[in-house]
Amino acid sequence: MAATIVVVGRKRVPGARRLLAGYAVTAAAALCCAKTEHRGASPGLPRVRALAPLACAALLFYPSGAQSLALHGRLLDEEMLAAERRVLRRPFNLLLDSVASRPLNEALTACYSSFYLYFLVPPAYLMAQGRDRDLERYILAFCLAQYTCYLGFASLPLAGPVTALRGAFSTPQLSGYLLTSAQQWLMERADPPGTCFPSSHVAGAWAATLVARRAVPRSAARALTALTCALTCSVVYCRYHYVVDALAGVAVAHLAYYGAAHILDRPSAPWRTAPLLDI
């Protein structure tokens, strides 16, 4: 689907040929892995197959920025801000600007940055526990959410309030301590314009949380839910997303969660007749 979007808007996508080549290589690697696993060449391949979409989700985020221009050819922040003003009279990000403080900036930046742990900690825990069914469910739901967002970026390409509202904030840049500066440095270099709607942070975090409720101890599930709620607030507070981005991310997460359940719980699911991994 991503390749189709790029082909349709190839004249508007910077580096369209390189992007299509990258998609082709990724697809070829996945097919080779599947073919090798089918032959039973290595007992470790099922886990490689399970973890590969997670690695691809991280690697394909940056190219999705160029892909976001395929349909419209430009960023649509002006339209988004006009819609917010019609509903709220003032962009919600500017309303939050009035409560900004260095400790709060640092705390919510920490919540925002915690998203990267969703790629590592729950999968590592489930692998250590030998919970391969839950591991596959987690990765499928998480990656469905991420890939859906990557496709969604093209439907409403946005630079985000940190760029679109530059100069309108009473505090031009959120200042905190070590983590706030580090996250801003990372965003300036690794977060391409156009990757706001839906929020992939929110979508991935909520998809992970919905799955983890069934796979981790109750206390851990409660802590993860609280962290995800804070992360959802942080994406707007830290000026990386509009409110609608976060709401769309929550919707995508639920679609991904139920989509993964439908795929894995259907009577014909492959793992019902063949185990993911014998341990």
Side-chain angles (χ1 to χ4, degrees):
M1 291 179 66
T4 301
I5 291 175
V6 173
V7 169
V8 170
R10 59 188 179 278
K11 293 183 179 179
R12 295 183 290 269
V13 177
R17 291 184 179 179
R18 292 193 301 272
L19 193 55
L20 290 172
Y23 286 151
V25 170
T26 302
L31 289 173
C32 289
C33 183
K35 188 173 183 179
T36 305
E37 180 189 355
H38 182 69
R39 293 178 177 177
S42 170
L45 276 175
R47 273 195 173 163
V48 173
R49 185 257 299 166
L51 293 171
L54 200 61
C56 290
L59 293 173
L60 293 176
F61 172 76
Y62 190 83
S64 67
Q67 175 186 302
S68 69
L69 299 175
L71 300 182
H72 299 278
R74 65 183 182 90
L75 301 173
L76 303 179
D77 290 83
E78 290 184 6
E79 288 82 350
M80 173 59 69
L81 290 172
E84 277 204 355
R85 289 189 177 95
R86 285 196 295 269
V87 176
L88 302 174
R89 296 187 179 181
R90 191 183 185 198
F92 191 74
N93 300 90
L94 295 181
L95 297 176
L96 292 177
D97 188 31
S98 61
V99 300
S101 66
R102 292 190 70 186
L104 187 57
N105 297 345
E106 190 76 2
L108 287 177
T109 297
C111 294
Y112 183 87
S113 301
S114 69
F115 173 70
Y116 310 123
L117 300 178
Y118 290 75
F119 282 89
L120 302 173
V121 176
Y125 169 81
L126 294 173
M127 289 179 65
Q129 294 293 315
R131 307 280 293 278
D132 292 291
R133 302 286 177 262
D134 291 324
L135 174 65
E136 188 165 23
R137 186 180 300 272
Y138 179 94
I139 291 176
L140 180 57
F142 185 89
C143 289
L144 279 176
Q146 294 298 285
Y147 294 143
T148 300
C149 288
Y150 298 169
L151 295 174
F153 295 158
S155 67
L156 188 62
L158 301 170
V162 70
T163 299
L165 291 172
R166 191 184 304 276
F169 293 105
S170 59
T171 52
Q173 184 173 0
L174 295 178
S175 60
Y177 306 104
L178 177 62
L179 190 57
T180 301
S181 299
Q183 183 63 49
Q184 290 172 349
W185 180 89
L186 179 64
M187 297 296 284
E188 290 172 359
R189 288 159 178 78
D191 190 55
T195 56
C196 280
F197 178 89
S199 168
S200 58
H201 273 58
V202 173
W206 275 110
T209 301
L210 291 170
V211 174
R213 293 183 309 175
R214 301 172 46 175
V216 302
R218 183 173 298 180
S219 58
R222 289 174 178 172
L224 185 61
T225 301
L227 176 61
T228 301
C229 289
L231 183 150
T232 304
C233 296
S234 74
V235 302
V236 180
Y237 176 88
C238 293
R239 306 174 181 177
Y240 298 129
H241 288 279
Y242 302 102
V243 171
V244 70
D245 302 336
L247 295 177
V250 174
V252 167
H254 282 79
L255 289 174
Y257 172 72
Y258 290 112
H262 175 74
I263 293 170
L264 295 178
D265 294 340
R266 70 189 191 280
S268 59
W271 67 264
R272 288 184 177 274
T273 56
L276 174 66
L277 184 65
D278 294 326
I279 57 173

